[in-house]
């Protein structure tokens, strides 16, 4: 079955070729993002495999359907970038990867916490320049600190287990409490109360109409002064410009982002020779207590292999009329 992977990098090709060994797949790789301008590249491909920053609005889906595409196979768990109503109208099926390696994302969130707390990014740059002083590098013990987990699905639960191992006190917010977190001793609270009590807050919830800008100027004002915020979920969970005022006032003491609301035009590309046109992102990068990574939390060998295997299985099952992991709403 002819399948075109948009936004594909070398690591995608490697993992998909491994997963396709011995299987009857005709895989093609396109590094360009899927947009209205690039949708024509999918002409004649029955399956289009899309990633998180590909555009799958009504106009793009219309062009894909006209070109013969029948299945949108997402290489992600999230599907907020897909116009599902348009897909249904056009007769396009949409499948996703509901879980790959929750440990990958959870461990990256913890890595951001440790790096920010112990100022590893600043220490690394100092020692490379021959500066071995310790001024300004004081951190705090994680043991005994209160950590708020916003969203307690598979990734949030994996994150909570790690933080419990550090000896942290766990608070949680989720409409559907997870028994695993309750067993760890976590207390479920409403979001405002969690924000008031937690020293560290980590976001692991999906992006929906209810969670868009869940963290905004009002919620940031409820934080303990100097609190740490980590977002490895979706960029639009946070009203990014509001972060700047909170950082300037000291209300937000540490910020770790692996996702950014306007990342589609930036992430996964080498733009080091170009001036940064995004003023908000440029301002955030000037703060010494901010670390931003370019949506790499998922990027482990185990996660890539799981994404590839599940995606190919989704395609195979769909072709056999026994679809799994269908996105219906």
């Amino acid at each position: 079955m002819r399948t075109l992977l948009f936004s594909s990098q070398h690591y995608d090709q490697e993992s998909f070729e491994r997963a396709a060994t011995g299987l009857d797949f005709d895989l093609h790789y396109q590094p360009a993002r899927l947009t209205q301008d690039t949708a024509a590249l999918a002409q004649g491909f029955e399956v289009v495999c899309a990633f998180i920053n590909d555009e799958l609005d009504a106009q793009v889906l219309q062009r894909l359907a006209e070109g013969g595409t029948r299945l949108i196979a997402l290489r992600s768990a999230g599907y907020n970038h897909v116009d599902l109503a348009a897909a249904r109208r056009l007769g396009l099926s949409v499948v996703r990867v509901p879980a790959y390696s929750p440990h990958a994302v959870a461990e990256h969130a913890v890595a951001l916490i440790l790096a920010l707390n112990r100022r590893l990014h600043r220490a690394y740059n100092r020692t490379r320049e021959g500066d071995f002083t310790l001024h300004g590098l004081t951190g705090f013990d994680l043991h005994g600190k209160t950590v708020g987990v916003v969203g307690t699905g598979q990734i949030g639960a994996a994150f909570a287990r790690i933080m419990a191992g550090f000896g942290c006190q766990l608070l949680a917010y989720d409409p559907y409490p997870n028994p695993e977190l309750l067993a760890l001793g976590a207390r479920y609270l409403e979001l405002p109360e969690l924000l008031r009590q937690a020293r560290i807050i980590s976001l692991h919830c999906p992006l929906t109409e209810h969670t868009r800008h869940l963290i905004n100027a009002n919620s940031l004002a409820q934080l303990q002064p100097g609190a740490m915020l980590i977002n490895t979920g979706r960029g639009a969970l946070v009203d990014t410009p509001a972060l700047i005022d909170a950082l300037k006032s000291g209300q937000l003491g540490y910020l770790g982002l692996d996702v950014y609301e306007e990342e589609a035009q930036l992430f996964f590309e080498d733009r080091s020779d170009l001036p940064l046109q995004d003023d908000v992102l440029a301002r955030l990068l000037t703060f010494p207590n901010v670390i931003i990574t370019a949506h790499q939390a998922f990027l482990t060998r185990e996660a890539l292999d799981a994404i590839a295997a599940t995606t190919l299985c989704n395609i195979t099952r769909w072709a056999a009329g026994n679809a799994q992991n269908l996105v219906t709403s």
Side-chain angles (χ1 to χ4, degrees):
M1 186 172 298
R2 297 192 77 217
T3 301
L4 179 62
L5 283 79
F6 279 96
S7 298
S8 59
Q9 305 292 332
H10 66 88
Y11 45 78
D12 294 306
Q13 183 168 349
E14 291 170 357
S15 60
F16 270 80
E17 291 299 325
R18 284 195 300 270
T21 301
L23 302 177
D24 185 21
F25 276 93
D26 182 13
L27 299 174
H28 297 256
Y29 303 94
Q30 174 53 249
R33 287 177 57 234
L34 174 58
T35 66
Q36 292 186 41
D37 295 330
T38 61
L41 297 172
Q43 179 78 30
F45 285 91
E46 192 172 8
V47 180
V48 162
C49 186
F51 199 42
I52 46 177
N53 289 329
D54 288 317
E55 294 179 7
L56 290 159
D57 57 23
Q59 290 179 304
V60 171
L61 293 174
Q62 177 75 42
R63 294 189 181 187
L64 293 178
E66 291 171 351
T69 297
R70 297 171 53 212
L71 175 67
I72 306 297
L74 301 175
R75 304 196 303 280
S76 61
Y79 51 87
N80 56 283
H81 55 313
V82 185
D83 187 331
L84 295 175
R88 286 193 295 271
R89 186 176 68 252
L90 295 166
L92 292 168
S93 298
V94 181
V95 292
R96 68 185 183 114
V97 181
Y100 34 94
S101 172
H103 309 290
V105 180
E107 290 170 9
H108 191 78
V110 176
L112 289 171
I113 290 171
L114 292 170
L116 284 164
N117 176 28
R118 303 310 294 267
R119 274 77 166 183
L120 297 184
H121 54 305
R122 300 185 70 186
Y124 171 79
N125 288 327
R126 276 193 198 179
T127 55
R128 284 178 60 87
E129 296 175 358
D131 180 354
F132 302 102
T133 62
L134 301 182
H135 176 71
L137 301 182
T138 304
F140 57 85
D141 288 356
L142 286 177
H143 186 273
K145 296 301 182 293
T146 302
V147 176
V149 187
V150 180
T152 57
Q154 293 190 57
I155 296 172
F159 172 80
R161 287 195 300 271
I162 298 171
M163 300 314 294
F166 277 103
C168 295
Q169 304 298 313
L170 298 176
L171 304 178
Y173 169 74
D174 195 299
Y176 307 98
N178 186 335
E180 184 177 354
L181 268 80
L182 294 172
L184 290 171
R187 291 188 295 124
Y188 275 84
L189 301 174
E190 292 301 313
L191 184 61
E193 187 60 30
L194 180 149
L195 296 177
R196 280 192 287 270
Q197 293 191 30
R199 177 73 177 271
I200 300 168
I201 299 100
S202 191
L203 307 181
H204 300 286
C205 49
L207 178 62
T208 68
E209 61 180 14
H210 301 295
T211 62
R212 182 176 296 276
H213 290 179
L214 189 71
I215 303 299
N216 51 48
N218 289 333
S219 53
L220 288 167
Q222 299 171 49
L223 298 179
Q224 295 182 22
M228 180 186 296
L229 176 66
I230 305 293
N231 186 12
T232 55
R234 289 290 182 267
L237 294 173
V238 177
D239 180 6
T240 314
L243 296 174
I244 295 174
D245 288 336
L247 287 163
K248 289 170 65 177
S249 70
Q251 184 74 8
L252 187 58
Y254 311 80
L255 175 66
L257 302 178
D258 185 58
V259 287
Y260 176 58
E261 188 168 10
E262 305 299 329
E263 70 178 56
Q265 303 296 329
L266 296 168
F267 287 8
F268 308 117
E269 302 286 343
D270 181 0
R271 300 183 178 275
S272 56
D273 290 333
L274 301 171
L276 182 56
Q277 301 296 326
D278 189 312
D279 292 341
V280 174
L281 182 59
R283 184 71 179 92
L284 285 175
L285 289 170
T286 66
F287 288 94
N289 53 343
V290 172
I291 295 179
I292 299 174
T293 54
H295 210 134
Q296 72 176 78
F298 77 98
L299 196 64
T300 66
R301 295 182 184 89
E302 292 83 357
L304 289 170
D305 286 344
I307 290 169
T310 301
T311 300
L312 294 183
C313 184
N314 285 344
I315 296 170
T316 300
R317 293 278 296 270
W318 171 82
N322 186 27
Q324 66 176 7
N325 298 323
L326 275 171
V327 179
T328 57
S329 61

